[in-house]
Every structure is written in C-alpha cells, then in structure tokens.
C-alpha cells in the first residue's frame, strides 16, 4: 500500500480511505515552513507580554486568568493531564492511527502555532508503532474532542498509556522501547493538540467506509433477492429514473440492471402475469439511491473536516491570533446523523426482503426457504434476528446533533455530540451488516429453488462466493455459524467487488 503524503494540500477521499485501511504517511518536503512561521508568531507574543487566549491565559471558563511566562510550559502540561478524563473501551488501533494522521494533517496547515517538533513527534509515534490508548467516551464535540485528544497528547509527554506491538503499557515505557523521548510542550501546543475534531472525524470516516461497503453489498443482495422472488427488472428501466432526476437513484437502478442482466430466471417468467412487486424489491433505486446521496453528502463534509484547521485560537499572517469556534463539530455531527439514516434504511429494506423471501404467499418459494417445512423451520428465526437488528437501528438513528448539554461553567453552552454521533454508527453498521449477511444466505437459498434456471453471471458469482464457505440449507442445522461466516465474508468486501462502479464519486 502506497504511503499518503501529508502537507498543506488537501487530502482527497481516496487518500483518506487509504489511511483508514492502514496506509502509512510521509511528510511533504517543505512541511516545516508554515509551522515555523506560526510558531515564531507565538514566541513573539510570549516575549512581548501580550495577553492572548490559550497562549498565556487559562482555558474555557478560566480564560480571563493570565499566566506568568515562567509557567507557560507547565500550563500546557497541566492542561493535557487535567483533560485526560476519558472513559470506556479503547478506540481500535486502526481508528487511533487515523486520528494521529488527521491531527498531523490539521497541524500541517500552519495555523496552529506549534513548532515542527510537535508534528515530528506525532509522526514518530506512527512510524514506531506507538499508539495512544484513547478511551472512546468523554467528548461532547465542542472545544474539540478534548478528552480523547488529551489521552493522545499525554503519550507525547510521557504520560498515560500506549500500545506497542499490541502490548498495553505506560506511555513512558512505550516511548523508551521505541527509542523516543517525551516532548516538552511550548506555549499553545497543548491546546493545539487538544482542540480539534480529529477523533469524531476519524470515527465517522471509518463508519463512512463501512457504509460504502454495506451499501454496495446491499445492491448485490437486493438484486439476488429480486431473482429469488422472481421479481421484475422493469422498475430499473432508466427512463423511470431519468424523469425524477436524483443522481443516486439513477446509479442504483443502473447497477441493478447490470447485476440482473442475463438472468435465465428472469427470462423464465417474462409472461407470468404478475403486475407489480412489493416495494422492497421495486423501490430499491428510490430508497437505496436516497441512502447513497446521503452517504455522498456525508463524505463531502468529512473530507472538508479532515483537511481543516479546527483548533483555537488560530494564527494568521501579521501576528494575528484569532479566537473563534472551528473546534465545534456540528458539521461532523450532522454528517454522522445523515449516515445513521442511510445505514438504518439499508438494513430496514434488506429486512423487508428477507421477510418477503421467507413468506410463501409473497415469494412463492417453500415456507422459510426450506424443503419439508414443519419439521424444518428454515430461516424463520434468522428473519426474526434481522427484524430485531433493524428495530434496534431505529432507536440508534435518532439524531445525536439535536442534543446538547452546556459544559465548562456555561462557557461552552452549546455542544455538537459529534463523537457520540459517529461512535454509534459502528453499532448500527454491525446490525445492518448482519442483516445483509442473512439476506445473502436467504437469497442464495432462494435462487437454488429455481434450478435448472440460473441467475445472471455476476449474481452467480455472489452465490458461489457464499457457497465456498456455507453449504446449501437442506435441513435444519445450527445456523449461527452460517450467519457469522457470511458476515465475515461480506465485511471482507466479497460483494463490494461485484459493484465495479465508484459509488461515492
């Protein structure tokens, strides 16, 4: 995997996807230049005695307290320690690596007033495999992701805990084993590390890429369900979608036309007399297309945020140090909420197709997709599981961004809840991916009842990839391992690779 270059130029979505997948980073050749200029501005302010928030004052509700010059380094150290108040399980290593990359990327824009030594120290953590232990809970998504980023910054100064080669240990030990030394923070550097939306953005980006895989997988399982139920491909006719005009809808219809093209099952019932299919089959372009448009919008927002200078105050030319609110993660919270709606609806529509396939009155297949129903229950409870997960997603999809609790003695009187908004997406994706895995099992079982007629070549490939790991369902058996195997294969991208279109472009 090619390394991603970080510098002042913005990273495109493809580079962020590579970072999320584990790509390394390299720093652009001229990377220190912008940092040196803004760090010199901060040094000049300290030398002049000019009072500037975050440089020589307290923080938050303590912003009116001026700090003497001889205590400024200790001020930054204590800021990091006091803000390391997160709780809950550790964020996964892949997300921690992405957070580190995004923090470096934000600082490299040159508006944060940090020395090149700070970026070099963050780069060294990544390069040597020292990953801060960051608790997943504790951020309200305003003034940045303060608590989780404090746990990151603590490792730089030799405090807190980190993982090295998978082993959890005190940060000082991890630095020593990696051949690194703790960093002494200069004025403003602790604040620059703690302010910022990199945690919520990284968690949301990881969810975005999982949602991309989930949506593509749903296009395949949905097409497979159409053939299993002997549904019509007429609802995917491009003329229908052209007159409505939604981009995602038209693309979904085009993909499903391609996936179904050449199906002998479809040819076998062209004159069957059925007029219309249930909505879960024929309205896939309208529903999944809307989900795709929502995911695309979220991607646009998250790309902007991943390239943003989101700490406070910011340093500009002419010794201007401006205090604002770029740390407020409302855009990330909104993007995560949009993703939540899409993830919930992808799962909801899939659950309805499973219900259709297992109901002989609708599918005209054997009850619960098994021969000898009665002594065999088939996919009866697999559908119940899918229904339970789809219902759970309804609650999780409630917008997090509409919630707010004031903090810091009402100085931070409106917050975004972006980190929670992003974090809950992964629980929702666990649910939706499992629903899709169950649909894959059910639809593959369904098309086998139409032998000797075969489905289309790409859908045969989807069927065959499943049968490599899960045999046909002949009679009742312990079903949980089948679902787990299909889920693992789906998460690996076994269905995503059958959708050759770049759905997020």
């Amino acid at each position: 995997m090619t390394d991603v270059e970080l510098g002042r130029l913005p990273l495109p979505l493809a580079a962020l996807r590579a970072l999320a997948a584990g790509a390394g980073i390299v720093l652009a050749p001229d990377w220190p230049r912008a940092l040196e200029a803004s760090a010199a501005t901060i040094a000049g302010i300290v030398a002049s005695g000019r009072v500037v928030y975050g440089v020589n004052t307290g923080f938050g509700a303590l912003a009116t307290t001026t700090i003497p010059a001889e205590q400024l380094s200790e001020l930054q150290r204590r800021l990091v320690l006091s803000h390391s108040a997160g709780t809950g399980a550790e964020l996964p290593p892949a997300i921690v690596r992405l957070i580190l990359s995004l923090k470096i990327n934000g600082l490299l824009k040159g508006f944060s007033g940090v020395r090149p030594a700070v970026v070099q120290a963050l780069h060294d953590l990544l390069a040597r495999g020292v990953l801060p232990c960051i608790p997943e809970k504790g951020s309200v998504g305003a003034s940045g992701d303060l608590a989780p980023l404090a746990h990151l910054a603590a490792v730089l100064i030799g405090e807190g805990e980190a993982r090295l080669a998978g082993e959890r240990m005190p940060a000082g030990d991890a630095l020593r084993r990696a051949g690194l030394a703790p960093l002494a923070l200069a004025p403003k550097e602790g604040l620059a590390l703690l302010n910022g939306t990199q945690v919520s953005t990284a968690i949301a980006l990881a969810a975005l890429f999982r949602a991309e895989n989930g949506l593509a997988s749903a296009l395949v399982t949905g097409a497979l369900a159409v053939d299993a139920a002997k549904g019509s491909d007429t609802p995917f006719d491009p003329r229908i979608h052209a007159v409505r005009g939604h981009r995602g809808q038209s693309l979904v219809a085009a993909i499903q036309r391609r996936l179904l093209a050449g199906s002998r099952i479809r040819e076998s019932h062209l004159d069957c007399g059925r007029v219309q299919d249930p909505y879960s089959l024929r309205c896939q372009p309208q529903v999944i297309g809307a989900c795709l448009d929502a995911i695309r919008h979220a991607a646009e927002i998250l790309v902007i945020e991943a390239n943003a200078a989101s700490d406070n105050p910011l340093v500009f030319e002419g010794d201007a140090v401006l205090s604002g609110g770029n740390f407020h993660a409302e855009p990330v919270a909104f993007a995560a909420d949009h993703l939540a709606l899409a993830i919930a609806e992808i799962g909801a529509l899939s659950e309805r197709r499973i219900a259709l396939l297992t109901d002989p009155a609708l599918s005209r297949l054997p009850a619960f997709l098994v021969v000898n129903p009665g002594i065999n229950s088939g996919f009866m409870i697999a559908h119940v599981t899918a229904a339970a997960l789809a219902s759970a997603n309804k609650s999780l999809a409630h917008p997090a961004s509409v919630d707010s609790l004031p903090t810091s003695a009402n100085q931070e009187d409106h917050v975004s809840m972006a980190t929670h908004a992003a974090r809950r997406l992964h629980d929702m994706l666990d649910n939706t991916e499992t629903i899709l895995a169950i649909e894959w099992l059910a639809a593959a079982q369904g098309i086998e009842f139409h032998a000797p007629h075969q489905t289309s070549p790409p859908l045969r490939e989807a069927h065959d990839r499943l049968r490599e790991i899960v045999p046909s369902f002949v009679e009742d058996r312990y079903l949980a391992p089948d679902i787990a195997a299909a889920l693992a294969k789906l998460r690996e991208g076994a269905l995503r690779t059958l959708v050759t279109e770049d759905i997020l472009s």
Side-chain angles (χ1 to χ4, degrees):
M1 188 179 294
T2 304
D3 289 342
V4 174
E5 183 177 280
L6 304 185
R8 298 203 76 182
L9 295 177
L11 296 175
L13 184 64
L16 295 169
R17 185 185 288 109
L19 289 173
I25 66 166
V26 293
L27 303 180
D30 61 345
W31 70 268
R33 187 179 307 165
L35 278 73
E36 289 167 347
S38 66
T41 296
I42 297 299
I45 289 170
V46 172
S48 70
R50 174 181 156 200
V51 177
V52 173
Y53 171 73
V55 177
N56 46 19
T57 71
F59 308 102
L62 303 174
T64 57
T65 303
T66 303
I67 309 299
E70 64 273 14
Q71 294 182 338
L72 294 184
S73 180
E74 181 63 16
L75 170 70
Q76 300 299 313
R77 177 179 172 277
R78 293 189 186 189
L79 172 71
V80 171
L81 296 177
S82 67
H83 285 49
S84 297
T87 188
E90 284 180 59
L91 290 173
I95 289 181
V96 174
R97 283 193 291 269
L98 184 55
I99 293 168
L100 282 165
S101 297
L102 295 185
K103 176 51 77 174
I104 292 169
N105 193 47
L107 295 177
L108 284 174
K109 306 313 173 193
F111 301 107
S112 301
V114 303
R115 298 165 298 153
V118 175
V119 167
Q120 187 63 58
L122 290 168
H123 175 272
D124 290 345
L125 292 185
L126 272 176
R128 306 286 178 90
V130 179
L131 297 181
C133 296
I134 303 177
E136 65 178 4
K137 298 178 182 178
S139 173
V140 295
S143 281
D145 295 313
L146 292 172
L149 285 173
H151 285 272
L152 182 153
V155 173
L156 284 182
I157 64 173
E159 301 285 351
E161 292 183 293
R163 287 190 181 272
L164 182 62
E167 181 184 351
R168 183 167 178 159
M169 65 188 73
D173 292 347
L175 293 177
R176 280 190 294 274
R177 290 194 195 183
L180 301 173
L183 179 70
L185 297 174
K188 196 189 175 296
E189 290 178 344
L191 185 61
L193 288 166
L194 270 57
N195 270 173
T197 62
Q198 287 79 26
V199 173
S200 52
T201 302
I203 297 172
L205 278 170
L208 170 75
F209 299 130
R210 286 182 67 184
E212 178 185 24
N213 178 65
L215 187 141
S217 299
L219 296 177
V220 179
T221 61
L224 201 61
V226 169
D227 241 9
K230 285 191 172 181
S232 173
D233 57 359
T234 299
F236 309 132
D237 189 296
R239 291 169 292 185
I240 295 172
H241 309 287
V243 297
R244 196 177 197 189
H246 290 296
R247 184 178 166 211
Q249 177 179 327
S250 292
L251 179 58
V252 167
I255 292 171
Q256 295 205 299
R257 284 197 309 274
R258 179 181 62 76
L259 290 172
L260 286 160
S263 169
R264 301 303 183 194
I265 296 174
R266 174 59 180 139
E267 292 176 5
S268 74
H269 64 93
L270 284 172
D271 300 315
C272 67
R274 291 173 67 178
V275 178
Q276 290 184 330
D277 296 322
Y279 290 0
S280 61
L281 297 181
R282 64 181 163 110
C283 293
Q284 289 183 74
Q286 290 80 6
V287 177
I288 303 302
C291 294
L292 176 54
D293 287 338
I295 292 172
R296 280 175 166 161
H297 174 69
E300 292 174 2
I301 298 300
L302 294 175
V303 167
I304 292 171
E305 195 68 21
N307 288 292
S310 59
D311 58 291
N312 183 66
L314 294 172
V315 182
F316 297 95
E317 292 181 3
D319 292 345
V321 181
L322 306 180
S323 186
N326 280 4
F327 49 63
H328 199 296
E330 194 84 346
V332 180
F334 274 27
D337 283 344
H338 292 156
L339 285 173
L341 295 175
I343 293 163
E345 283 296 270
I346 291 167
L349 202 66
S350 176
E351 181 276 326
R352 288 290 80 206
R353 291 192 297 266
I354 299 167
L356 184 156
L357 291 173
T358 55
D359 184 348
L362 293 173
S363 69
R364 303 180 187 179
L365 294 167
F368 302 110
L369 300 171
V370 68
V371 295
N372 298 322
I375 189 158
N376 290 311
S377 296
F379 282 78
M380 179 189 295
I381 303 304
H383 167 249
V384 172
T385 296
L389 298 176
S391 183
N393 273 353
K394 294 176 186 179
S395 297
L396 290 168
H398 185 278
S401 58
V402 299
D403 186 25
S404 179
L405 281 174
T407 60
S408 192
N410 279 306
Q411 175 74 6
E412 300 159 6
D413 59 350
H414 181 276
V415 300
S416 72
M417 299 308 299
T419 312
H420 166 67
R423 188 165 48 80
R424 64 65 147 92
L425 296 177
H426 293 273
D427 291 335
M428 296 183 69
L429 284 158
D430 288 344
N431 293 338
T432 290
E433 289 165 351
T434 304
I435 296 168
L436 292 171
I438 293 171
E439 184 184 13
W440 191 9
L441 291 165
Q445 182 78 5
I447 65 168
E448 293 175 1
F449 287 110
H450 300 312
H453 302 298
Q454 289 194 325
T455 188
S456 67
L459 295 180
R460 276 204 306 274
E461 181 65 22
H463 169 273
D464 293 347
R465 289 181 184 182
L466 180 66
R467 289 292 172 250
E468 291 173 0
I469 55 170
V470 177
S472 296
F473 197 92
V474 179
E475 61 181 30
D476 283 351
R477 62 173 182 254
Y478 190 57
L479 195 52
D482 292 4
I483 297 172
L487 176 61
K489 195 79 169 174
L490 184 146
R491 285 174 169 166
E492 291 171 3
L495 297 178
R496 171 70 182 92
T497 55
L498 298 175
V499 178
T500 54
E501 295 83 355
D502 183 0
I503 60 176
L504 290 191
S505 66

